[in-house]
Amino acid sequence: MWVFYKDDNIELNCITSTTRMVTLDIIYKVSNTQLLVHGVYCPANETEKPSFWNSLSRYFSNLRLPWILLGDFNEILHLQDKQGGRVPHVNRCSRLRNFLSSSHCVDGHCSGLAFSWKRRFQDCIVYEKLDRAVLSNSCLSLFPNLSIVLTMHP
């Protein structure tokens, strides 16, 4: 993950960096506002998902600072987040929904593309919205006009 910024009023520190998540502490000096920004790459492998989502839920449910989590969640939130191929089972949406509920956060509404991932399987193309931004309620209060634009992986 690359982070570029040019503002003398912002102090940025990398707190943690793992193979799955990077956490940045951002302080806006003018108002002394602190925000944690997390970039995540959730596992695509089904066997790794339960433990990953459990640890993610534990971490974020106890976090008191305003935060935003963005990246590749490798999960859909709604059945309409997938187009083409087999219809997903309704349980496919449960991990992300459970995370939103337990972490007291909301899915950031995105403009731009409806899907962030595509792949050809046999005779059809499958599109999915796997990338998103999730915001804590306190982050949403701090930045009520936050704008998120979704683009396609290359």
Side-chain angles (χ1 to χ4, degrees), residues 64-79:
R64 298 295 167 238
L65 290 170
W67 56 266
I68 183 168
L69 174 64
L70 48 94
D72 185 343
F73 286 78
N74 274 312
E75 296 287 353
I76 60 175
L77 183 59
H78 308 286
L79 295 178

Side-chain angles (χ1 to χ4, degrees), residues 34-51:
Q34 186 176 11
L35 174 69
L36 296 177
V37 176
H38 308 270
V40 70
Y41 176 65
C42 297
N45 185 319
E46 199 60 40
T47 60
E48 297 175 40
K49 288 184 177 191
S51 65

Side-chain angles (χ1 to χ4, degrees), residues 77-78 106-112 129 132-135 140 146-150:
L77 183 59
H78 308 286
V106 294
D107 181 44
H109 297 286
C110 300
S111 61
K129 181 180 179 182
R132 61 184 68 246
V134 172
L135 302 95
L140 199 54
L146 183 67
S147 175
I148 303 164
V149 179
L150 185 63

